[in-house]
Amino acid sequence: MTVARIAIAGLTVGLVGLGLWYGLGQRTTSQNAPAIALLAAHERAGSASTAGGIRGASATKSRAKVAMSRAITPAVPTAVDYREAFRAATDYRSFVLGVLPAARSGDRDAQYYLYAALNYCDETYRFYFRPRGKALSLDEAIKDRSYYPGPSMTEAIKRAYLRCHEVNETKNPLWGTASEWLSKATDAGQPLAQMQTAGLIFLRPHVQGGIVAAESQTPTIQEGTYTDARSLVRAAVETKDPEALFDVAGLLGFLKPKEPNEQLIQDAITWQYVACLRGFDCGVNAEWHLQFCLNGSNCLPDETGVDYLRRMAPQKHIIDLEARASELNEKIDAGAWDELGLGG
Amino acid sequence: MIILVGLLRAAPPAITNAGEKIGQVNQEQRPFRWSRVLVCSTCETPIDFRNAAITANYTDQLPVTYVVVGDSTGMSSYVQVSGYWFYDPYSYNQYWTVNYAMPVDQNGLALSSDLPTAQAQMSVVDVGLFGFTRGPNSPKVATVQMPPDYDGSFIGSADEFDSPGIGRALALLGVDPSDFPVGSKLLVTYADGTKAVFQKVSMTSSYQSAWDGIHAWNANGQPIDRSGNVLANSNTYGGASGSTTYEETLDGAGAAAALWFIYENEQCTTTTNLSINGVPDASFSGYVPC
């Protein structure tokens, strides 16, 4: 009798467990197909780079990692292309769920793109949907911005809503914060994370509070010096990652503080153009190009990012963009870092 | 002590002593209640600024918070200096001896020991004094008027609207926003006369410009927060008056700026007039710690 009861109880537990497994699997498969694909790909690739999940880094340790991250060798191509997955993602909740396991297991690219997704959602949520602390729906946000002159923000608002409303409405503390993942990716030597961290270190003395402070909640940024920031930029540029090269343009004012403004602008266009030539996304819908066009730049319909740069060059008194790009490319290919004038 | 002696023996930077002593002294109660302006033509590092203040303090012989203005670098620093009277039992004379000199930022915090970081901090102090960037890479257009469609006052404004508003203001001036590298500063004036310094923080995110969180003034030139509350000077005391004038040629644009410090009614005010090629371009006034 007792044996029969145990058998029945065991069978019941087993059936319930099977049902739960099947039900959850169906739900996950239907809602998070891209996430599952990323997860499976990550499992195939094995856990890349450094191991270790979420861990609190002390200020001292993190500071020391600025130097350590510089010594880490250039990014080894991983089997999972998180950059492309991030670019193609239209629902960042699925993307976040998909990269989370790899990020937790120490994949630095997964960590960086997890940061990128969470940060984009934080920033656009605050910018479009919580201005002056007021909660706005999608329609209200579009209406709110329609009163202002200049380029229309409607498409940007819709894009942000589509990507992020599920992230912002169902945010799970277990996902971690954007700052935490930026810190881990930077410590692990991810070049785009290094560039982002360097930029926030450069800005820190100039800005108190606001969006910059909100994005600077890491010991590396809080305690980093300009010398640290230059080291991070140098390490990122040495990887020759096209997106990191593009990001150099945004930091030239700090990297070359004594250069005249006109020269800085010309250098910036050259770095951006080189990044495009080396494979950075400079299409019509490249995120950077869309943002440029939202802020008063004279963009033309259906113009690509690279065409925009070519059109801008003569306006900035650059008549030899191709020659400048060729010269910069040669220095990058040759690893002539000291000739780039970036310090570090 | 050894370090201090070394500093005192260091070759003093070239200083144009444009300051004027003002007020009465009570050293025991208020160690840094005097403010004095120095112009230093060769100062580039915190040590240069500190040495300039130390050198001046041997003339002043009392605790002073100096405002040391770099001549052409776009950097300035506050330097707190104090000392004591050393009695020489052999000569029966007293000598003023500096025993403390600290370059600090606008919040009274010590500057970073990392030189490039400290120079960035000193450029922020400089913006607080002059209201625009004087550095070699100062943008061509440093002041913009917030368009009327956007916030009419800094008080109650928000970066979510000020950032595109600045983009719009530049477009109306025919200036491409990409002409302003990240780190550029803009003095934004509003319809009601309030002013604030904005920083270019990104080329590619939603927030391209943001208030620096440090510099904002009401229509009377008093420092305020974003709610319009007037902020108290960090070191106010006095009741005397005086003034000093500082003038220089800005790099690049053939511009000239003049800075006046007027110390009265327990507050220090600054007025800066900027002219380009002899044509008045901008005027700026504010209050500084003193």
Side-chain angles (χ1 to χ4, degrees), chain A residues 305-316:
Chain A
V306 75
D307 286 340
Y308 167 81
L309 293 174
R310 285 182 182 136
R311 186 167 57 82
M312 281 293 113
Q315 295 182 28
K316 315 296 181 191

Side-chain angles (χ1 to χ4, degrees), chain A:
Chain A
M1 187 64 184
T2 308
V3 174
R5 279 183 181 166
I6 291 171
I8 290 168
L11 189 62
T12 307
V13 170
L15 285 172
V16 168
L18 190 64
L20 276 174
W21 173 80
Y22 181 76
L24 281 176
Q26 287 297 305
R27 186 162 175 259
T28 311
T29 306
S30 61
Q31 290 185 352
N32 298 319
I36 296 301
L38 266 178
L39 180 56
H42 168 69
E43 285 169 352
R44 281 197 302 275
S47 82
S49 63
T50 56
I54 296 178
R55 59 190 186 280
S58 70
T60 313
K61 280 181 182 172
S62 191
R63 180 73 185 279
K65 282 174 186 166
V66 171
M68 280 175 59
S69 72
R70 185 183 167 176
I72 291 172
T73 51
V76 177
T78 56
V80 185
D81 190 345
Y82 293 107
R83 188 196 311 256
E84 181 53 31
F86 176 66
R87 201 185 66 80
T90 53
D91 171 7
Y92 281 3
R93 182 174 183 272
S94 291
F95 178 80
V96 165
L97 292 174
V99 299
L100 202 50
R104 283 177 174 154
S105 66
D107 186 307
R108 67 187 191 183
D109 289 335
Q111 291 170 340
Y112 172 74
Y113 285 103
L114 179 52
Y115 151 76
L118 292 174
N119 189 59
Y120 173 86
C121 290
D122 286 346
E123 183 192 296
T124 54
Y125 185 67
R126 189 169 162 170
F127 192 84
Y128 293 123
F129 301 106
R130 291 293 182 277
R132 296 190 175 100
K134 194 169 57 177
L136 301 180
S137 67
L138 172 61
D139 290 340
E140 288 169 335
I142 291 171
K143 189 178 175 187
D144 198 37
R145 296 285 175 174
S146 68
Y147 298 125
Y148 295 93
S152 169
M153 291 187 174
T154 300
E155 290 307 312
I157 296 170
K158 285 180 181 172
R159 205 163 50 241
Y161 181 82
L162 191 65
R163 287 170 175 169
C164 294
H165 78 99
E166 285 204 35
V167 170
N168 292 326
E169 288 163 11
T170 65
K171 206 164 199 174
N172 187 334
L174 294 177
W175 296 350
T177 66
S179 291
E180 287 167 359
W181 291 115
L182 176 63
S183 179
K184 290 178 193 310
T186 303
D187 291 348
Q190 211 286 340
L192 304 182
Q194 289 174 318
M195 292 300 293
Q196 185 65 23
T197 296
L200 289 168
I201 291 173
F202 280 130
L203 281 171
R204 197 195 67 230
H206 296 272
V207 184
Q208 291 176 10
I211 188 69
V212 173
E215 294 180 3
S216 302
Q217 305 299 317
T218 82
T220 304
I221 297 168
Q222 294 287 327
E223 297 170 16
T225 65
Y226 273 37
T227 302
D228 295 332
R230 284 178 178 276
S231 295
L232 288 169
V233 170
R234 168 81 176 250
V237 170
E238 284 180 0
T239 67
K240 303 178 186 177
D241 183 307
E243 194 169 344
L245 300 180
F246 186 90
D247 290 345
V248 168
L251 300 182
L252 285 174
F254 297 111
L255 295 167
K256 298 182 174 183
K258 293 183 178 174
E259 195 162 276
N261 204 53
E262 188 173 15
Q263 184 65 44
L264 280 178
I265 295 163
Q266 293 176 347
D267 288 353
I269 287 185
T270 307
W271 277 91
Q272 289 162 344
Y273 188 62
V274 160
C276 294
L277 296 179
R278 296 177 80 97
F280 181 55
D281 180 11
C282 297
V284 176
N285 292 317
E287 193 69 32
W288 70 266
H289 186 230
L290 294 174
Q291 286 296 341
F292 266 43
C293 297
L294 268 184
N295 281 271
S297 298
N298 297 315
C299 293
L300 300 176
D302 299 324
E303 185 180 43
T304 66
V306 75
D307 286 340
Y308 167 81
L309 293 174
R310 285 182 182 136
R311 186 167 57 82
M312 281 293 113
Q315 295 182 28
K316 315 296 181 191
H317 309 293
I318 304 176
I319 55 169
D320 55 348
L321 181 61
E322 299 296 338
R324 285 170 185 250
S326 177
E327 187 184 345
L328 180 55
N329 258 327
E330 284 173 14
K331 288 177 182 171
I332 293 168
D333 288 337
W337 313 121
D338 293 334
E339 294 177 27
L340 297 176
L342 303 179

Side-chain angles (χ1 to χ4, degrees), chain B residues 246-268:
Chain B
Y246 162 69
E247 190 163 338
E248 71 158 315
T249 300
L250 292 180
D251 180 78
L259 175 70
W260 285 269
F261 277 74
I262 301 171
Y263 186 76
E264 57 188 349
N265 301 325
E266 301 191 356
Q267 288 182 309
C268 280

Side-chain angles (χ1 to χ4, degrees), chain B residues 5-289:
Chain B
V5 169
L7 283 173
L8 298 179
R9 286 181 178 172
I15 300 167
T16 305
N17 191 345
E20 194 172 296
K21 285 198 292 186
I22 43 186
Q24 297 297 312
V25 185
N26 184 335
Q27 294 179 37
E28 288 71 30
Q29 291 177 359
R30 295 276 180 159
F32 298 111
R33 62 185 187 161
W34 286 49
S35 185
R36 187 169 175 201
V37 184
L38 302 174
V39 179
C40 178
S41 62
T42 58
C43 285
E44 292 190 354
T45 71
I47 291 175
D48 295 337
F49 284 85
R50 183 171 59 176
N51 285 349
I54 289 172
T55 302
N57 194 250
Y58 275 95
T59 303
D60 294 337
Q61 300 182 339
L62 73 166
V64 175
T65 297
Y66 290 93
V67 182
V68 186
V69 178
D71 199 5
S72 58
T73 56
M75 294 185 291
S76 297
S77 177
Y78 299 108
V79 185
Q80 298 177 338
V81 183
S82 64
Y84 64 96
W85 288 102
F86 172 74
Y87 176 70
D88 182 350
Y90 300 105
S91 66
Y92 305 106
N93 286 325
Q94 287 192 111
Y95 300 98
W96 177 255
T97 303
V98 172
N99 65 351
Y100 178 82
M102 178 67 74
V104 297
D105 67 9
Q106 67 282 348
N107 297 320
L109 301 175
L111 300 182
S112 170
S113 58
D114 178 68
L115 177 59
T117 309
Q119 289 179 323
Q121 292 171 316
M122 291 192 290
S123 74
V124 173
V125 171
D126 198 77
V127 168
L129 298 175
F130 289 88
F132 56 89
T133 51
R134 297 188 305 132
N137 60 339
S138 296
K140 283 177 289 187
V141 179
T143 60
V144 294
Q145 179 81 35
M146 186 61 74
D149 303 297
Y150 291 82
D151 287 322
S153 173
F154 174 73
I155 299 166
S157 68
D159 287 345
E160 290 79 21
F161 297 96
D162 287 337
S163 178
I166 290 169
R168 177 70 179 160
L170 294 173
L172 291 172
L173 290 169
V175 178
D176 187 344
S178 65
D179 285 359
F180 290 82
V182 173
S184 300
K185 295 179 198 305
L186 287 161
L187 179 65
V188 178
T189 59
Y190 294 81
D192 69 346
T194 52
K195 296 184 179 75
V197 174
F198 280 73
Q199 180 93 15
K200 184 75 174 275
V201 296
S202 173
M203 307 284 274
T204 56
S205 66
S206 306
Y207 294 87
Q208 302 223 343
S209 298
W211 177 45
D212 72 0
I214 304 168
H215 303 115
W217 301 268
N218 63 18
N220 297 322
Q222 294 168 300
I224 55 172
D225 63 20
R226 214 159 195 170
S227 299
N229 301 311
V230 176
L231 303 178
N233 274 337
S234 59
N235 193 2
T236 56
Y237 188 83
S241 62
S243 67
T244 184
T245 303
Y246 162 69
E247 190 163 338
E248 71 158 315
T249 300
L250 292 180
D251 180 78
L259 175 70
W260 285 269
F261 277 74
I262 301 171
Y263 186 76
E264 57 188 349
N265 301 325
E266 301 191 356
Q267 288 182 309
C268 280
T269 64
T270 69
T271 300
T272 308
N273 290 312
L274 173 68
S275 60
I276 297 177
N277 296 326
V279 180
D281 184 76
S283 179
F284 170 82
S285 63
Y287 285 56
V288 296

